[in-house]
Amino acid sequence: MSSSDSSNKTLDQLSVQVLKGVGPSMAEKLKALSIYTVQDLLFHLPLRYQDRTRVTPIGALQPGGDSVIEGEIKAADIAFGRRRSLVCRLQDGTGTVTLRFFHFSAAQKQNLAIGTRLRCYGEARRGSSGLEFYHPEYHAIDDQKPPPVETHLTPIYPSKDGLTQIGWRNMSKQALTLLQPNTLIEWLPQAPELGSAPVSLETALLYLHHPPADATNLTSQALLLEGEHPFQQRLAYEELLAHNLSLLKLRQQTQNYGAPAMAVKDELSPQFIKQLGFELTAAQQRVCTEIRTDLKQGKPMLRLVQGDVGSGKTVVAAIAALQAVASGYQVAIMAPTEILAEQHFNNFSQWLTPLGIKLAWLTGKVKGKARQQQLAAIAQHEASIIIGTHALFQDEVVFAKLGLAVIDEQHRFGVHQRLALKEKASADIGHPHQLIMTATPIPRTLAMSAYADLDTSVIDELPPGRTPINTVVIDNARRAQVVERVRNACSEGRQAYWVCTLIEESESLAAQAAEDSWEQLQQTLPELRIGLIHGRMKPDQKVSTMQSFKDHELDVLVATTVIEVGVDVANASLMIIENAERLGLSQLHQLRGRVGRGSTASHCVLMYQSPLGQLGRQRLQTMRQSSDGFVIAEKDLELRGPGELLGTRQTGLAQLRIANLERDGHLLEAVKQDAQNIIQHYPAHVDPLIKRWLADGEQYAQV
Ligand code: ADP
Ligand code: MG
């Protein structure tokens, strides 16, 4: 590296190629890990450390754990057992241990001659001759003046093909020498308090790449390994802060637009509620009030409604929609699947047509003339409520007066789609209000980080009269018994779902599995009317099958997980899930939520293929023990991590480099306050922080 290049530049302006040994091809490999600059390299932290700072007496070795030993070779022989190996006996004043090599060269054998003194590094394990080291790292040392042991812990970096640990150490060492005062700007107004004296970024990075000997004391080493060392927490804090800021910035930008103030007296909702045939729960009423208040403001609502499966979110959405319609605006309602969109359309038509409200319907499958008609109805404000799938985001869809967008089952929509909404607003009305509904309860830590730009409401109460679902777990081998259960339930006039799960990420394989089960069940249960629904069927076929099931023209519905979200048939009280161990907890919870909607006792049978792995066992047990979506979501987060839970990449959270939401969730409260503080008092720090930490940070700056 030439110092003229690097002077006056901060590390985010220095390409990794200023480092010795890093050329274009290495830079290309680093790019795959989102490492472009010297700053990025410094944020690529070791995964763990090796302790090579002291020599362990052979007599004191314990099995497991790596250690450095030193001694003299007392014997070196080829052993012919099941596998040929080179066996050396190494001795110091305290004991003897075996070094065993299954692969070795002639030169190696020569170097490991009797009388040679070695220093070795590796893991001691129990073997046939007592403790043994398999293929330890070793080098010969001079008896008279052994070289000093390492003074620092040895970092092990997360790596990928073509990058070696020696390479990483070489790069980080150079990067650390470039880390001079003022080359890495502190954007935090104050270093956060993390149970220790405030730490500068520079100190933290120096330490973490190259922990000094004092880190070898056991507590700080354990902390380091867990990622809970105050210096790691310092970086995790800043990273979480940057993510929080990026979302707050999105929110701020949205709120800079005006939005229609829907303050008219709403006469439609009371009529609507009267015709429902039930009272709203207290939780529904509270959330409706929160939404009503938001809609009256002249700035865009950004509200997330969380409610467990069956808590009655659709009605809440309808009431919000009515307020918008009564104020003369259009409402877009977006669902993640055709089936769900269709169901919403049916519900809303039934509820709202009597009130004289016109609806339109748009999905990818609405084609030709029908499509033109729907588009015209939307553009000319003939329709006030427009229901559909992602298709509503397409360019050709032009709303006359969009005032509110309701997004059902948010976890399938990403930040980017949320952003696309603003394009749909006509300039004179401003940004539409947004109501986001999710049936997957989101653990608090996730909600605080992934949805920091949203206000949240929780429907934390189920409508009265629901009986809890009884969940049992049964081996696939007892399938015949399960089939009998289906026969009994249906002979008593109830209905059942039989769900076949994905074998891989392949809807066609799942469809095949469902077809097989369907045929088999028809043979075993000839007296029952059995329908089939899967993702490869035509949309109108799916919809009409669903309708037949609703109308009780079918007793059993064999399905793939396409019915996962939202489908509502109150008379269905039995849910069978084949190979339930393949599904994540949230998905199982969603599926199970399809039953238990009426007043008869409902049952869910989770069938599994034995042997059951550890993860599968834990999931099924959780399902048996809990029916609370929030409890299940917490467990899911614990078992799977945030990325999968939110179906992300979209949320960006999967790309956290240093922070870990489970481990670092306790930082979020402080992060949130700090983010507000920075936005208000240090606005110039916002963009640099976002850019430093978010892989696509630039994008946020442009929104
Ligand atoms: P989700 O929150 O899972 O979307 P839905 O909105 O589909 O739940 O509601 C589930 C069922 O409960 C629907 O049949 C709906 O009509 C009914 N429901 C909603 N609110 C109430 C209520 N307050 N009392 C009784 N039934 C209700
Ligand atoms: Mg729903």
Side-chain angles (χ1 to χ4, degrees):
M1 93 205 90
S2 81
S3 55
S4 61
D5 285 359
S6 34
S7 57
N8 305 327
K9 284 195 174 168
T10 51
L11 299 184
D12 57 328
Q13 296 167 325
L14 287 185
S15 149
V16 282
Q17 294 202 44
V18 304
L19 304 178
K20 247 185 248 154
V22 184
S25 88
M26 177 68 89
E28 200 57 34
K29 286 177 194 149
L30 292 172
K31 211 163 108 183
L33 296 164
S34 298
I35 297 173
Y36 302 90
T37 65
V38 174
Q39 173 178 287
D40 293 335
L41 195 61
L42 286 172
F43 288 144
H44 187 74
L45 291 186
L47 205 58
R48 58 192 176 84
Y49 301 90
Q50 291 175 344
D51 183 357
R52 305 183 183 209
T53 62
R54 59 209 147 91
V55 176
T56 306
I58 290 175
L61 279 175
Q62 296 290 331
D66 292 331
S67 32
V68 180
I69 52 169
E70 246 174 56
E72 187 183 324
I73 298 182
K74 289 294 182 189
D77 300 294
I78 308 273
F80 298 92
R82 263 183 308 156
R83 278 172 80 192
R84 188 168 157 271
S85 59
L86 171 62
V87 177
C88 302
R89 298 284 290 167
L90 194 75
Q91 194 179 67
D92 67 1
T94 66
T96 312
V97 74
T98 296
L99 315 179
R100 194 182 288 272
F101 301 87
F102 292 104
H103 317 278
F104 56 93
S105 61
Q108 235 177 337
K109 181 167 184 308
Q110 216 156 34
N111 288 339
L112 294 169
I114 294 176
T116 312
R117 267 194 86 75
L118 290 185
R119 180 177 290 166
C120 304
Y121 179 81
E123 184 190 347
R125 298 193 212 171
R126 277 190 225 284
S128 51
S129 67
L131 287 180
E132 302 193 351
F133 283 75
Y134 299 94
H135 290 273
E137 289 176 41
Y138 66 89
H139 58 264
I141 52 173
D142 183 340
D143 206 0
Q144 262 29 71
K145 24 179 203 1
V149 289
E150 302 281 340
T151 53
H152 290 69
L153 294 183
T154 308
I156 306 291
Y157 290 91
S159 192
K160 64 184 296 278
D161 285 353
L163 292 161
T164 64
Q165 289 302 325
I166 292 177
W168 282 112
R169 278 171 218 155
N170 167 41
M171 290 188 290
S172 75
K173 203 161 151 194
Q174 293 184 59
L176 289 176
T177 62
L178 292 173
L179 178 58
Q180 301 291 333
N182 302 325
T183 55
L184 197 60
I185 300 170
E186 288 282 357
W187 294 111
L188 300 191
Q190 296 97 28
E193 287 186 25
L194 300 164
S196 68
V199 185
S200 74
L201 204 52
E202 188 185 328
T203 313
L205 288 169
L206 278 170
Y207 184 95
L208 292 172
H209 284 284
H210 201 51
D214 73 15
T216 58
N217 87 53
L218 284 178
T219 28
S220 58
Q221 230 188 93
L223 288 175
L224 273 176
L225 289 178
E226 296 298 324
E228 285 171 0
H229 192 282
F231 292 180
Q232 287 161 319
Q233 295 277 292
R234 163 68 178 78
L235 295 172
Y237 181 93
E238 187 171 317
E239 183 173 34
L240 291 171
L241 183 72
H243 277 265
N244 210 290
L245 284 170
S246 71
L247 290 168
L248 288 182
K249 187 165 171 185
L250 280 184
R251 178 188 173 89
Q252 209 179 37
Q253 277 162 340
T254 309
Q255 302 221 316
N256 283 341
Y257 297 90
M262 302 173 172
V264 298
K265 194 163 171 300
D266 173 12
E267 277 145 12
L268 292 169
S269 343
Q271 280 184 58
F272 167 69
I273 293 169
K274 209 152 87 203
Q275 68 162 37
L276 273 179
F278 52 74
E279 305 272 317
L280 296 186
T281 62
Q284 283 171 318
Q285 282 175 27
R286 172 169 39 78
V287 173
C288 283
T289 309
E290 286 164 357
I291 296 170
R292 193 175 311 125
T293 313
D294 284 351
L295 291 179
K296 285 182 187 164
Q297 313 298 320
K299 58 176 191 182
M301 167 171 79
L302 282 164
R303 186 168 288 280
L304 175 72
V305 173
Q306 293 192 62
D308 210 343
V309 203
S311 60
K313 292 181 291 290
T314 320
V315 174
V316 170
I319 291 170
L322 286 172
Q323 185 174 345
V325 172
S327 310
Y329 291 95
Q330 286 177 303
V331 181
I333 298 176
M334 280 172 279
T337 65
E338 295 262 338
I339 293 191
L340 198 53
E342 177 80 22
Q343 178 176 292
H344 279 329
F345 184 71
N346 291 339
N347 277 337
F348 278 78
S349 304
Q350 221 170 46
W351 287 335
L352 304 183
T353 319
L355 303 180
I357 295 172
K358 292 247 160 35
L359 290 88
W361 159 245
L362 196 74
T363 69
K365 305 285 157 54
V366 180
K367 296 238 160 74
K369 199 163 162 237
R371 189 174 191 86
Q372 292 315 317
Q373 275 172 359
Q374 298 297 319
L375 288 173
I378 299 167
Q380 287 153 27
H381 205 164
E382 281 157 29
S384 313
I385 295 195
I386 300 96
I387 298 179
T389 55
H390 297 72
L392 295 181
F393 286 114
Q394 283 162 0
D395 286 344
E396 58 171 344
V397 186
V398 180
F399 292 86
K401 217 178 163 193
L402 181 63
L404 167 67
V406 179
I407 302 174
D408 198 12
E409 315 298 353
Q410 145 74 11
H411 58 295
R412 302 207 176 180
F413 285 94
V415 167
H416 300 292
Q417 281 152 323
R418 256 193 268 157
L419 291 174
L421 250 183
K422 90 165 184 256
E423 321 272 302
K424 292 292 172 203
S426 44
D428 52 329
I429 328 182
H431 200 289
H433 295 285
Q434 287 176 66
L435 182 63
I436 292 150
M437 325 274 276
T438 172
T440 307
I442 300 162
R444 220 176 81 81
T445 48
L446 268 191
M448 276 175 71
S449 38
Y451 299 119
D453 58 331
L454 305 177
D455 298 310
T456 39
S457 297
V458 182
I459 309 183
D460 49 5
E461 181 184 1
L462 292 180
R466 302 263 167 92
T467 39
I469 304 165
N470 170 36
T471 300
V472 292
V473 177
I474 290 184
D475 193 320
N476 275 349
R478 289 161 63 195
R479 187 186 181 95
Q481 249 172 292
V482 178
V483 173
E484 273 320 294
R485 262 186 110 131
V486 173
R487 191 198 305 277
N488 292 338
C490 294
S491 72
E492 287 165 20
R494 293 196 300 277
Q495 288 166 278
Y497 294 99
W498 185 289
V499 178
C500 303
T501 53
L502 289 181
I503 296 167
E504 283 155 29
E505 284 300 297
S506 152
E507 177 64 25
S508 70
L509 285 178
Q512 187 56 51
E515 272 175 28
D516 294 347
S517 287
W518 179 58
E519 271 166 24
Q520 210 188 0
L521 285 170
Q522 279 180 314
Q523 277 169 22
T524 0
L525 300 169
E527 75 275 27
L528 298 184
R529 300 160 300 173
I530 304 178
L532 172 67
I533 193 164
H534 59 64
R536 304 238 295 172
M537 290 163 57
K538 293 221 165 64
D540 44 350
Q541 228 179 330
K542 279 192 272 188
V543 166
S544 76
T545 305
M546 206 60 231
Q547 196 55 47
S548 312
F549 189 62
K550 251 186 185 169
D551 298 341
H552 204 166
E553 289 158 10
L554 293 171
D555 302 299
V556 181
L557 186 63
V558 178
T560 57
T561 50
V562 294
I563 60 153
E564 176 191 345
V565 272
V567 170
D568 189 30
V569 178
N571 188 49
S573 64
L574 178 59
M575 164 71 60
I576 315 287
I577 304 175
E578 270 192 88
N579 297 106
E581 79 280 1
R582 288 180 185 151
L583 299 182
L585 275 175
S586 298
Q587 218 178 353
L588 286 170
H589 181 63
Q590 287 297 316
L591 281 169
R592 181 171 61 181
R594 299 308 113 222
V595 296
R597 305 198 145 218
S599 50
T600 40
S602 290
H603 301 271
C604 176
V605 178
L606 302 175
M607 291 167 70
Y608 64 89
Q609 182 64 46
S610 53
L612 204 50
Q614 174 73 9
L615 187 61
R617 185 183 309 275
Q618 284 192 44
R619 279 186 189 145
L620 297 186
Q621 197 176 351
T622 305
M623 288 301 293
R624 208 156 41 94
Q625 287 166 351
S626 180
S627 57
D628 180 331
F630 283 89
V631 173
I632 290 174
E634 295 284 353
K635 191 74 190 172
D636 210 16
L637 176 63
E638 187 188 315
L639 294 179
R640 284 203 301 170
E644 288 204 55
L645 192 57
L646 293 173
T648 53
R649 243 177 298 139
Q650 298 168 333
T651 63
L653 282 172
Q655 295 150 21
L656 287 173
R657 298 190 216 178
I658 291 166
N660 168 325
L661 281 178
E662 271 169 88
R663 185 190 63 209
D664 306 328
H666 64 281
L667 298 177
L668 286 168
E669 205 58 64
V671 161
K672 203 170 135 185
Q673 281 175 21
D674 217 1
Q676 294 289 354
N677 175 37
I678 292 177
I679 284 229
Q680 272 170 29
H681 302 293
Y682 304 88
H685 296 202
V686 173
D687 285 346
L689 273 168
I690 294 176
K691 246 186 83 184
R692 173 178 285 174
W693 288 99
L694 274 69
D696 55 354
E698 298 285 359
Q699 226 176 304
Y700 285 85
Q702 286 160 15
V703 214

